[in-house]
Amino acid sequence: MNTKAPLLEVEGLHVAYGKAEVVHGVDLQVQAGEFVVLLGRNGAGKSTILHAVSGLIPKRAGRVRFGGRDVSQSSPRDIVRAGLVQVLEGHRVFGTLTVEDNLAIGTYASARRSDAAQLERMYDLFPELAARRYLPASKLSGGQQQILAVAQGVIASPKLLILDEPSSGLAPLVVDRILAVAAELCAGGMAVLLVEQLVEKALRHAHRCCLIETGRIVAEGSAQELRGSDVLERVYLGSHTAA
Ligand SMILES: Nc1ncnc2c1ncn2[C@@H]1O[C@H](COP(=O)(O)OP(=O)(O)OP(=O)(O)O)[C@@H](O)[C@H]1O
Ligand SMILES: [Mg+2]
Protein backbone atom coordinates (compact mmCIF):
# COMPACT_ATOMS: atom_id res chain seq x y z
CA MET A 1 0.00 0.00 0.00
CA ASN A 2 1.46 3.33 -1.04
CA THR A 3 1.03 5.85 1.73
CA LYS A 4 2.78 8.76 0.03
CA ALA A 5 0.67 11.71 -1.11
CA PRO A 6 -0.25 11.19 -4.77
CA LEU A 7 1.41 13.29 -7.45
CA LEU A 8 -1.99 13.97 -9.01
CA GLU A 9 -5.17 13.90 -6.99
CA VAL A 10 -8.52 14.63 -8.60
CA GLU A 11 -11.54 14.79 -6.33
CA GLY A 12 -15.20 15.06 -7.24
CA LEU A 13 -14.59 16.36 -10.76
CA HIS A 14 -17.68 17.48 -12.66
CA VAL A 15 -17.38 18.97 -16.14
CA ALA A 16 -20.10 20.33 -18.40
CA TYR A 17 -20.32 21.70 -21.92
CA GLY A 18 -22.96 24.39 -21.57
CA LYS A 19 -25.78 22.78 -19.61
CA ALA A 20 -24.81 19.23 -20.49
CA GLU A 21 -22.72 17.65 -17.77
CA VAL A 22 -20.53 14.88 -19.21
CA VAL A 23 -18.23 14.12 -16.25
CA HIS A 24 -20.12 13.29 -13.08
CA GLY A 25 -17.87 13.20 -10.05
CA VAL A 26 -14.57 11.56 -10.95
CA ASP A 27 -11.94 10.75 -8.33
CA LEU A 28 -8.55 9.86 -9.74
CA GLN A 29 -5.03 9.55 -8.37
CA VAL A 30 -1.65 9.07 -9.99
CA GLN A 31 1.42 8.37 -7.88
CA ALA A 32 4.89 9.60 -8.82
CA GLY A 33 6.36 7.18 -11.36
CA GLU A 34 3.07 5.37 -11.89
CA PHE A 35 1.65 4.36 -15.30
CA VAL A 36 -2.12 4.76 -15.22
CA VAL A 37 -4.42 4.02 -18.12
CA LEU A 38 -7.92 5.41 -18.66
CA LEU A 39 -10.09 3.15 -20.76
CA GLY A 40 -13.57 3.74 -22.10
CA ARG A 41 -15.63 3.90 -25.24
CA ASN A 42 -15.81 6.86 -27.58
CA GLY A 43 -17.58 9.73 -25.90
CA ALA A 44 -17.13 8.32 -22.37
CA GLY A 45 -15.50 11.55 -21.22
CA LYS A 46 -11.82 10.60 -21.15
CA SER A 47 -10.49 13.65 -23.03
CA THR A 48 -12.83 15.91 -21.09
CA ILE A 49 -11.36 14.67 -17.81
CA LEU A 50 -7.82 15.22 -19.07
CA HIS A 51 -8.57 18.70 -20.42
CA ALA A 52 -10.15 19.74 -17.13
CA VAL A 53 -7.15 18.40 -15.18
CA SER A 54 -4.76 20.35 -17.44
CA GLY A 55 -6.81 23.52 -16.97
CA LEU A 56 -7.78 23.69 -20.66
CA ILE A 57 -11.52 23.69 -19.95
CA PRO A 58 -13.41 24.87 -16.86
CA LYS A 59 -14.60 22.52 -14.14
CA ARG A 60 -18.16 22.68 -12.90
CA ALA A 61 -16.99 21.32 -9.56
CA GLY A 62 -14.12 19.43 -8.01
CA ARG A 63 -10.56 19.82 -6.91
CA VAL A 64 -7.25 19.02 -8.58
CA ARG A 65 -4.05 18.80 -6.58
CA PHE A 66 -0.70 18.34 -8.28
CA GLY A 67 2.61 17.93 -6.48
CA GLY A 68 0.91 18.83 -3.21
CA ARG A 69 -0.53 22.09 -4.56
CA ASP A 70 -4.12 22.96 -5.37
CA VAL A 71 -4.13 23.75 -9.10
CA SER A 72 -7.92 23.70 -9.54
CA GLN A 73 -7.94 27.37 -10.54
CA SER A 74 -4.47 27.55 -12.11
CA SER A 75 -3.90 28.50 -15.74
CA PRO A 76 -2.79 25.81 -18.20
CA ARG A 77 0.58 27.54 -18.36
CA ASP A 78 1.08 27.34 -14.59
CA ILE A 79 0.01 23.71 -14.58
CA VAL A 80 2.55 22.92 -17.29
CA ARG A 81 5.21 24.77 -15.33
CA ALA A 82 4.35 22.72 -12.26
CA GLY A 83 5.34 19.66 -14.33
CA LEU A 84 2.08 18.37 -15.80
CA VAL A 85 2.27 18.19 -19.60
CA GLN A 86 -0.48 16.91 -21.86
CA VAL A 87 0.05 15.69 -25.41
CA LEU A 88 -3.28 16.38 -27.06
CA GLU A 89 -5.28 13.98 -29.20
CA GLY A 90 -4.19 14.13 -32.85
CA HIS A 91 -0.80 15.10 -34.20
CA ARG A 92 -0.63 18.72 -33.14
CA VAL A 93 2.73 19.95 -34.32
CA PHE A 94 3.58 23.07 -36.30
CA GLY A 95 3.94 21.87 -39.88
CA THR A 96 5.86 24.86 -41.20
CA LEU A 97 8.44 24.75 -38.40
CA THR A 98 11.36 22.35 -38.38
CA VAL A 99 11.46 19.34 -36.11
CA GLU A 100 14.04 21.12 -33.97
CA ASP A 101 11.94 24.28 -33.64
CA ASN A 102 8.95 22.16 -32.65
CA LEU A 103 11.05 20.58 -29.92
CA ALA A 104 12.25 23.98 -28.78
CA ILE A 105 8.62 25.02 -28.34
CA GLY A 106 8.24 22.16 -25.88
CA THR A 107 10.97 23.65 -23.74
CA TYR A 108 9.27 27.06 -23.58
CA ALA A 109 6.58 25.32 -21.56
CA SER A 110 9.08 24.44 -18.87
CA ALA A 111 10.71 26.84 -16.49
CA ARG A 112 14.05 25.94 -18.04
CA ARG A 113 15.52 27.37 -21.22
CA SER A 114 16.01 25.33 -24.31
CA ASP A 115 19.47 23.94 -24.41
CA ALA A 116 21.44 21.58 -26.59
CA ALA A 117 21.50 18.86 -23.93
CA GLN A 118 17.71 18.68 -23.82
CA LEU A 119 17.54 18.40 -27.60
CA GLU A 120 20.22 15.72 -27.69
CA ARG A 121 18.35 13.72 -25.06
CA MET A 122 15.29 13.73 -27.33
CA TYR A 123 17.34 12.74 -30.37
CA ASP A 124 18.79 9.81 -28.38
CA LEU A 125 15.31 8.71 -27.36
CA PHE A 126 13.84 9.27 -30.83
CA PRO A 127 16.50 8.68 -33.53
CA GLU A 128 13.86 9.13 -36.25
CA LEU A 129 13.68 12.79 -35.21
CA ALA A 130 17.46 13.24 -35.15
CA ALA A 131 17.66 12.25 -38.80
CA ARG A 132 15.02 14.83 -39.70
CA ARG A 133 15.80 17.67 -37.33
CA TYR A 134 16.02 20.37 -40.03
CA LEU A 135 12.98 19.24 -42.02
CA PRO A 136 9.63 21.01 -41.71
CA ALA A 137 7.37 18.85 -39.54
CA SER A 138 4.83 18.69 -42.39
CA LYS A 139 7.30 16.46 -44.30
CA LEU A 140 7.16 13.82 -41.57
CA SER A 141 4.83 10.82 -41.74
CA GLY A 142 1.81 10.73 -39.40
CA GLY A 143 3.69 8.39 -37.07
CA GLN A 144 6.76 10.59 -37.00
CA GLN A 145 4.61 13.65 -36.30
CA GLN A 146 3.00 11.87 -33.38
CA ILE A 147 6.44 10.89 -32.07
CA LEU A 148 7.42 14.56 -32.41
CA ALA A 149 4.31 15.58 -30.45
CA VAL A 150 5.28 13.15 -27.69
CA ALA A 151 8.89 14.38 -27.71
CA GLN A 152 7.61 17.95 -27.49
CA GLY A 153 5.85 16.94 -24.29
CA VAL A 154 8.73 14.93 -22.87
CA ILE A 155 11.50 17.44 -23.52
CA ALA A 156 10.49 19.61 -20.57
CA SER A 157 11.00 16.59 -18.24
CA PRO A 158 7.47 16.65 -16.83
CA LYS A 159 6.61 14.89 -13.58
CA LEU A 160 3.43 13.68 -15.24
CA LEU A 161 2.97 13.13 -18.96
CA ILE A 162 -0.61 12.84 -20.16
CA LEU A 163 -1.07 11.11 -23.50
CA ASP A 164 -4.49 11.21 -25.14
CA GLU A 165 -4.80 8.39 -27.66
CA PRO A 166 -1.30 8.56 -29.08
CA SER A 167 -2.13 5.59 -31.31
CA SER A 168 -4.92 7.19 -33.30
CA GLY A 169 -4.35 6.59 -36.98
CA LEU A 170 -0.92 5.04 -36.51
CA ALA A 171 0.65 1.76 -37.59
CA PRO A 172 0.89 -0.86 -34.80
CA LEU A 173 4.70 -0.73 -34.71
CA VAL A 174 4.69 3.03 -34.14
CA VAL A 175 2.14 2.62 -31.37
CA ASP A 176 4.30 -0.05 -29.71
CA ARG A 177 7.27 2.25 -29.94
CA ILE A 178 5.48 5.24 -28.38
CA LEU A 179 4.12 3.15 -25.53
CA ALA A 180 7.50 1.49 -24.95
CA VAL A 181 9.20 4.89 -24.71
CA ALA A 182 6.51 6.08 -22.30
CA ALA A 183 7.07 2.96 -20.17
CA GLU A 184 10.84 3.51 -20.25
CA LEU A 185 10.45 7.13 -19.11
CA CYS A 186 8.08 5.91 -16.45
CA ALA A 187 10.71 3.47 -15.18
CA GLY A 188 12.96 6.53 -14.92
CA GLY A 189 10.51 8.20 -12.53
CA MET A 190 8.07 10.09 -14.76
CA ALA A 191 4.39 9.31 -14.20
CA VAL A 192 2.18 8.59 -17.21
CA LEU A 193 -1.57 8.99 -17.59
CA LEU A 194 -2.60 7.39 -20.86
CA VAL A 195 -5.91 7.27 -22.69
CA GLU A 196 -5.90 4.52 -25.25
CA GLN A 197 -8.39 2.66 -27.39
CA LEU A 198 -6.02 -0.25 -27.98
CA VAL A 199 -6.86 -1.95 -24.71
CA GLU A 200 -4.42 -4.82 -24.79
CA LYS A 201 -1.46 -2.64 -25.78
CA ALA A 202 -2.27 -0.16 -23.03
CA LEU A 203 -2.76 -2.83 -20.37
CA ARG A 204 0.65 -4.29 -21.16
CA HIS A 205 2.35 -1.24 -19.64
CA ALA A 206 -0.16 -0.17 -17.02
CA HIS A 207 0.42 -0.33 -13.29
CA ARG A 208 -3.23 0.56 -12.81
CA CYS A 209 -6.30 1.11 -15.01
CA CYS A 210 -9.52 3.03 -14.62
CA LEU A 211 -12.54 2.22 -16.70
CA ILE A 212 -14.73 5.19 -17.61
CA GLU A 213 -18.35 4.86 -18.62
CA THR A 214 -20.51 7.90 -19.38
CA GLY A 215 -18.49 10.25 -17.24
CA ARG A 216 -17.91 7.97 -14.26
CA ILE A 217 -15.19 5.59 -13.17
CA VAL A 218 -16.93 2.22 -13.04
CA ALA A 219 -13.95 -0.01 -12.31
CA GLU A 220 -10.35 0.33 -11.23
CA GLY A 221 -7.54 -2.14 -10.71
CA SER A 222 -4.38 -3.70 -12.04
CA ALA A 223 -4.21 -4.84 -15.66
CA GLN A 224 -4.59 -8.41 -14.46
CA GLU A 225 -7.66 -7.61 -12.39
CA LEU A 226 -9.34 -5.78 -15.26
CA ARG A 227 -8.51 -8.38 -17.89
CA GLY A 228 -10.55 -10.92 -15.99
CA SER A 229 -13.45 -8.61 -15.20
CA ASP A 230 -16.91 -8.64 -16.74
CA VAL A 231 -17.02 -4.88 -16.67
CA LEU A 232 -14.20 -4.55 -19.24
CA GLU A 233 -16.10 -6.83 -21.57
CA ARG A 234 -19.33 -4.94 -20.98
CA VAL A 235 -17.76 -1.55 -21.66
CA TYR A 236 -16.16 -2.73 -24.87
CA LEU A 237 -18.81 -5.18 -26.02
CA GLY A 238 -19.16 -4.94 -29.75
CA SER A 239 -16.28 -2.52 -30.18
CA HIS A 240 -13.19 -3.45 -32.16
CA THR A 241 -10.59 -2.17 -29.77
CA ALA A 242 -8.63 -5.16 -28.54
CA ALA A 243 -5.23 -5.33 -30.21
N1 LIG B 1 -16.50 20.84 -27.13
C1 LIG B 1 -17.56 20.09 -26.82
N2 LIG B 1 -18.81 20.63 -26.78
C2 LIG B 1 -19.89 19.89 -26.47
N3 LIG B 1 -19.83 18.57 -26.16
C3 LIG B 1 -18.62 17.98 -26.18
C4 LIG B 1 -17.43 18.70 -26.51
N4 LIG B 1 -16.39 17.86 -26.45
C5 LIG B 1 -16.90 16.66 -26.10
N5 LIG B 1 -18.24 16.73 -25.94
C6 LIG B 1 -19.12 15.63 -25.53
O1 LIG B 1 -18.73 15.20 -24.24
C7 LIG B 1 -18.77 13.78 -24.14
C8 LIG B 1 -17.39 13.27 -23.76
O2 LIG B 1 -16.50 13.54 -24.82
P1 LIG B 1 -14.95 13.23 -24.75
O3 LIG B 1 -14.34 13.83 -25.97
O4 LIG B 1 -14.44 13.64 -23.43
O5 LIG B 1 -14.94 11.64 -24.83
P2 LIG B 1 -13.73 10.63 -25.04
O6 LIG B 1 -13.94 9.56 -24.02
O7 LIG B 1 -12.45 11.35 -25.05
O8 LIG B 1 -14.07 10.03 -26.49
P3 LIG B 1 -13.08 9.57 -27.68
O9 LIG B 1 -12.67 8.18 -27.32
O10 LIG B 1 -13.96 9.59 -28.87
O11 LIG B 1 -11.93 10.53 -27.77
C9 LIG B 1 -19.28 13.27 -25.47
O12 LIG B 1 -20.66 13.07 -25.36
C10 LIG B 1 -18.97 14.40 -26.42
O13 LIG B 1 -19.90 14.44 -27.48
MG1 LIG C 1 -11.00 11.64 -26.50
Side-chain angles (χ1 to χ4, degrees):
M1 185 77 186
N2 195 337
T3 51
K4 280 205 311 199
L7 175 63
L8 174 72
E9 192 171 19
V10 179
E11 270 179 358
L13 178 67
H14 292 253
V15 188
Y17 294 107
K19 286 188 180 152
E21 184 172 290
V22 299
V23 173
H24 316 287
V26 160
D27 297 328
L28 176 69
Q29 298 188 346
V30 180
Q31 305 289 338
E34 197 180 20
F35 197 126
V36 177
V37 173
L38 295 186
L39 299 173
R41 280 180 187 240
N42 292 338
K46 305 177 298 294
S47 298
T48 301
I49 294 168
L50 301 183
H51 291 160
V53 167
S54 299
L56 298 171
I57 55 172
K59 303 158 199 63
R60 177 175 269 187
R63 199 176 69 143
V64 179
R65 289 179 70 78
F66 184 72
R69 200 157 64 85
D70 192 323
V71 296
S72 309
Q73 306 301 326
S74 300
S75 68
R77 186 188 175 86
D78 285 345
I79 291 174
V80 166
R81 292 217 156 163
L84 189 162
V85 170
Q86 179 172 356
V87 178
L88 296 169
E89 214 172 340
H91 318 142
R92 309 257 181 104
V93 293
F94 296 95
T96 56
L97 299 184
T98 63
V99 166
E100 186 139 312
D101 285 344
N102 269 284
L103 289 174
I105 285 171
T107 65
Y108 295 155
S110 74
R112 283 183 247 156
R113 292 225 331 269
S114 159
D115 65 33
Q118 281 176 297
L119 287 170
E120 288 312 317
R121 205 178 122 249
M122 288 306 104
Y123 292 141
D124 284 348
L125 265 178
F126 305 103
E128 54 273 77
L129 299 182
R132 296 170 179 82
R133 64 171 84 182
Y134 303 123
L135 282 183
S138 60
K139 299 280 185 214
L140 272 54
S141 68
Q144 290 160 354
Q145 288 189 31
Q146 180 64 309
I147 286 173
L148 177 57
V150 172
Q152 208 176 38
V154 167
I155 194 167
S157 301
K159 292 184 185 128
L160 172 63
L161 180 71
I162 296 184
L163 296 172
D164 193 353
E165 293 197 36
S167 73
S168 75
L170 299 185
L173 275 180
V174 182
V175 179
D176 289 344
R177 169 124 174 70
I178 289 174
L179 296 184
V181 168
E184 190 185 320
L185 291 165
C186 199
M190 186 184 80
V192 174
L193 179 56
L194 167 73
V195 163
E196 189 44 75
Q197 291 289 344
L198 301 174
V199 177
E200 199 38 56
K201 281 189 193 298
L203 290 185
R204 213 172 289 156
H205 297 288
H207 297 135
R208 199 155 51 80
C209 315
C210 300
L211 216 53
I212 318 279
E213 209 174 11
T214 51
R216 289 186 176 83
I217 294 183
V218 293
E220 197 176 335
S222 67
Q224 200 178 359
E225 284 163 346
L226 276 200
R227 270 196 194 102
S229 77
D230 296 343
V231 71
L232 185 62
E233 227 166 89
R234 175 167 60 84
V235 166
Y236 283 103
L237 201 65
S239 62
H240 51 280
T241 47

Coordinates of all heavy atoms in Angstrom, one line a residue, residues 194-225:
L194 N -2.4 7.7 -19.5 CA -2.6 7.4 -20.9 C -4.1 7.1 -21.1 O -4.7 6.3 -20.4 CB -1.7 6.2 -21.2 CG -2.0 5.5 -22.6 CD1 -1.5 6.3 -23.7 CD2 -1.3 4.1 -22.6
V195 N -4.6 7.7 -22.2 CA -5.9 7.3 -22.7 C -5.6 6.5 -24.0 O -4.9 7.0 -24.8 CB -6.8 8.5 -23.0 CG1 -8.0 8.1 -23.9 CG2 -7.3 9.1 -21.7
E196 N -6.2 5.3 -24.1 CA -5.9 4.5 -25.3 C -7.1 3.6 -25.6 O -7.7 3.1 -24.7 CB -4.6 3.7 -24.9 CG -4.1 3.0 -26.1 CD -4.0 3.8 -27.4 OE1 -3.1 4.6 -27.4 OE2 -4.8 3.6 -28.3
Q197 N -7.3 3.5 -26.9 CA -8.4 2.7 -27.4 C -7.9 1.2 -27.6 O -8.7 0.3 -27.6 CB -9.0 3.2 -28.7 CG -9.8 4.5 -28.6 CD -11.1 4.3 -27.9 OE1 -11.6 3.2 -27.7 NE2 -11.7 5.4 -27.4
L198 N -6.6 1.1 -27.8 CA -6.0 -0.2 -28.0 C -5.8 -0.9 -26.6 O -4.7 -0.7 -26.0 CB -4.7 -0.2 -28.8 CG -4.9 0.5 -30.2 CD1 -3.5 0.7 -30.8 CD2 -5.8 -0.4 -31.1
V199 N -6.8 -1.5 -26.1 CA -6.9 -1.9 -24.7 C -5.7 -2.8 -24.3 O -5.0 -2.6 -23.4 CB -8.2 -2.7 -24.4 CG1 -8.2 -3.2 -23.0 CG2 -9.4 -1.8 -24.7
E200 N -5.4 -3.8 -25.1 CA -4.4 -4.8 -24.8 C -3.0 -4.2 -24.8 O -2.2 -4.4 -23.9 CB -4.5 -6.0 -25.7 CG -3.8 -7.3 -25.2 CD -4.0 -7.5 -23.7 OE1 -5.1 -7.5 -23.2 OE2 -3.0 -7.6 -23.0
K201 N -2.8 -3.3 -25.7 CA -1.5 -2.6 -25.8 C -1.3 -1.8 -24.5 O -0.2 -1.7 -23.9 CB -1.4 -1.8 -27.0 CG -1.0 -2.5 -28.3 CD -0.7 -1.6 -29.4 CE -0.7 -2.2 -30.8 NZ 0.3 -3.3 -31.0
A202 N -2.3 -1.1 -24.2 CA -2.3 -0.2 -23.0 C -2.1 -0.9 -21.7 O -1.3 -0.6 -20.9 CB -3.5 0.7 -23.0
L203 N -2.8 -2.1 -21.6 CA -2.8 -2.8 -20.4 C -1.4 -3.4 -20.2 O -1.0 -3.7 -19.0 CB -3.8 -3.9 -20.4 CG -5.3 -3.5 -20.3 CD1 -6.2 -4.7 -20.2 CD2 -5.5 -2.6 -19.0
R204 N -0.7 -3.7 -21.2 CA 0.7 -4.3 -21.2 C 1.6 -3.4 -20.3 O 2.5 -3.9 -19.7 CB 1.2 -4.4 -22.6 CG 2.1 -5.6 -22.8 CD 2.4 -5.7 -24.3 NE 1.3 -6.1 -25.1 CZ 1.2 -5.9 -26.4 NH1 2.1 -5.2 -27.1 NH2 0.1 -6.3 -27.1
H205 N 1.4 -2.1 -20.3 CA 2.4 -1.2 -19.6 C 1.8 -0.7 -18.3 O 2.5 -0.1 -17.6 CB 2.7 0.0 -20.6 CG 3.4 -0.5 -21.8 ND1 4.7 -0.9 -21.8 CD2 3.0 -0.5 -23.1 CE1 5.1 -1.2 -23.0 NE2 4.1 -1.0 -23.8
A206 N 0.5 -0.9 -18.1 CA -0.2 -0.2 -17.0 C 0.1 -0.8 -15.6 O 0.1 -2.0 -15.5 CB -1.7 -0.2 -17.2
H207 N 0.4 0.1 -14.7 CA 0.4 -0.3 -13.3 C -1.0 -0.4 -12.8 O -1.4 -1.3 -12.0 CB 1.2 0.7 -12.4 CG 2.6 0.8 -12.8 ND1 3.3 2.0 -12.9 CD2 3.6 -0.1 -13.0 CE1 4.5 1.8 -13.2 NE2 4.7 0.5 -13.3
R208 N -1.9 0.5 -13.3 CA -3.2 0.6 -12.8 C -4.1 1.1 -13.9 O -3.7 1.9 -14.8 CB -3.3 1.5 -11.6 CG -4.5 1.4 -10.7 CD -4.2 1.9 -9.3 NE -3.6 3.2 -9.3 CZ -4.3 4.3 -9.5 NH1 -5.6 4.3 -9.6 NH2 -3.7 5.5 -9.5
C209 N -5.4 0.7 -14.0 CA -6.3 1.1 -15.0 C -7.6 1.6 -14.4 O -8.1 1.0 -13.4 CB -6.7 0.0 -15.9 SG -5.3 -1.0 -16.4
C210 N -8.2 2.6 -15.0 CA -9.5 3.0 -14.6 C -10.4 2.9 -15.8 O -10.1 3.4 -16.9 CB -9.5 4.5 -14.2 SG -8.4 4.8 -12.8
L211 N -11.6 2.4 -15.6 CA -12.5 2.2 -16.7 C -13.6 3.3 -16.6 O -14.2 3.4 -15.5 CB -13.2 0.8 -16.5 CG -13.5 0.1 -17.8 CD1 -12.3 -0.1 -18.7 CD2 -14.0 -1.3 -17.3
I212 N -13.8 4.1 -17.6 CA -14.7 5.2 -17.6 C -16.0 4.8 -18.4 O -15.8 4.4 -19.6 CB -14.1 6.5 -18.3 CG1 -12.7 6.7 -17.9 CG2 -15.0 7.7 -18.0 CD1 -12.5 7.3 -16.5
E213 N -17.1 5.1 -17.9 CA -18.4 4.9 -18.6 C -19.2 6.1 -18.4 O -19.5 6.4 -17.2 CB -19.0 3.6 -18.1 CG -19.8 2.9 -19.2 CD -20.4 1.6 -18.7 OE1 -20.3 1.2 -17.5 OE2 -20.9 0.8 -19.6
T214 N -19.7 6.7 -19.4 CA -20.5 7.9 -19.4 C -20.2 8.8 -18.2 O -21.0 9.1 -17.4 CB -22.0 7.6 -19.3 OG1 -22.3 6.6 -18.3 CG2 -22.5 7.0 -20.7
G215 N -18.9 9.2 -18.2 CA -18.5 10.2 -17.2 C -18.2 9.8 -15.8 O -18.1 10.6 -14.9
R216 N -18.2 8.5 -15.6 CA -17.9 8.0 -14.3 C -16.9 6.9 -14.3 O -16.8 6.1 -15.3 CB -19.2 7.4 -13.6 CG -20.2 8.4 -13.3 CD -21.4 7.7 -12.5 NE -22.3 8.7 -12.1 CZ -23.3 9.2 -12.9 NH1 -23.4 8.8 -14.1 NH2 -24.1 10.2 -12.4
I217 N -16.1 6.7 -13.3 CA -15.2 5.6 -13.2 C -16.0 4.4 -12.6 O -16.6 4.5 -11.5 CB -14.0 5.9 -12.3 CG1 -13.1 7.0 -12.9 CG2 -13.1 4.6 -12.0 CD1 -11.9 7.3 -12.2
V218 N -16.1 3.4 -13.4 CA -16.9 2.2 -13.0 C -16.1 1.0 -12.6 O -16.6 0.1 -12.0 CB -17.9 1.8 -14.2 CG1 -18.9 2.8 -14.5 CG2 -17.1 1.4 -15.5
A219 N -14.8 1.1 -12.8 CA -13.9 0.0 -12.3 C -12.5 0.5 -12.3 O -12.1 1.4 -13.1 CB -14.0 -1.3 -13.2
E220 N -11.7 -0.1 -11.4 CA -10.4 0.3 -11.2 C -9.6 -0.9 -10.7 O -10.1 -1.6 -9.9 CB -10.3 1.5 -10.2 CG -9.1 2.2 -10.2 CD -9.1 3.4 -9.2 OE1 -10.2 3.9 -8.9 OE2 -8.0 3.8 -8.8
G221 N -8.3 -1.0 -11.2 CA -7.5 -2.1 -10.7 C -6.3 -2.3 -11.6 O -6.0 -1.5 -12.4
S222 N -5.6 -3.4 -11.3 CA -4.4 -3.7 -12.0 C -4.8 -4.2 -13.4 O -6.0 -4.6 -13.6 CB -3.6 -4.8 -11.3 OG -4.3 -6.0 -11.3
A223 N -3.9 -4.3 -14.3 CA -4.2 -4.8 -15.7 C -4.8 -6.2 -15.5 O -5.8 -6.6 -16.2 CB -3.0 -4.8 -16.5
Q224 N -4.2 -7.0 -14.6 CA -4.6 -8.4 -14.5 C -6.0 -8.5 -13.9 O -6.8 -9.3 -14.4 CB -3.6 -9.1 -13.5 CG -3.7 -10.6 -13.6 CD -2.7 -11.2 -12.6 OE1 -1.9 -10.5 -11.9 NE2 -2.6 -12.5 -12.6
E225 N -6.3 -7.6 -13.0 CA -7.7 -7.6 -12.4 C -8.7 -7.2 -13.4 O -9.8 -7.8 -13.5 CB -7.7 -6.6 -11.2 CG -7.1 -7.1 -9.9 CD -6.8 -6.0 -8.9 OE1 -6.8 -4.8 -9.3 OE2 -6.5 -6.4 -7.8

